[in-house]
Amino acid sequence: MNEMDLFEHRINELEENVKILYGKVNGFAVAQAQVNIKLDNLIQSLDEIKDSISKIKSRPSVFWDKLVFAFIGALGAGIGTAFLTLFKGV
């Protein structure tokens, strides 16, 4: 085997190794992109869950606000009715 054949053999072997390495790197890049997509979906779902939890947490305060406003409205209506009956009787 002369020197030129030896170099050609080594170059062919290196080309095959580069193709294999490129395939592995490309496969890793595709896998990493899939992981990134799944992570983005997970983050989006987590944000939706946080929003839902904050809405659930705010419900009791909304309930108490409605209750206080209803009480104030009933009290105002009662006072107004009392004034009307008082002035009607005069």
Side-chain angles (χ1 to χ4, degrees):
M1 186 182 254
N2 65 15
E3 192 173 310
M4 196 62 142
D5 290 338
L6 180 63
F7 286 146
E8 188 174 327
H9 173 71
R10 290 181 71 188
I11 289 173
N12 289 336
E13 189 175 329
L14 285 173
E15 285 177 346
E16 287 298 317
N17 289 341
V18 167
K19 285 180 185 178
I20 291 170
L21 184 61
Y22 178 76
K24 288 182 179 181
V25 169
N26 193 27
F28 175 74
V30 169
Q32 186 64 35
Q34 291 173 345
V35 167
N36 288 343
I37 290 170
K38 289 180 182 180
L39 185 60
D40 289 342
N41 290 337
L42 184 64
I43 290 171
Q44 183 180 4
S45 297
L46 187 61
D47 287 341
E48 291 173 1
I49 290 171
K50 284 181 180 179
D51 290 341
S52 297
I53 289 174
S54 66
K55 286 179 185 177
I56 290 171
K57 281 184 174 180
S58 69
R59 279 187 185 171
S61 65
V62 170
F63 173 74
W64 285 108
D65 289 345
K66 287 181 182 179
L67 186 64
V68 167
F69 288 133
F71 179 72
I72 291 171
L75 187 63
I79 291 172
T81 304
F83 279 133
L84 286 176
T85 55
L86 182 67
F87 290 127
K88 187 177 179 182
V90 173

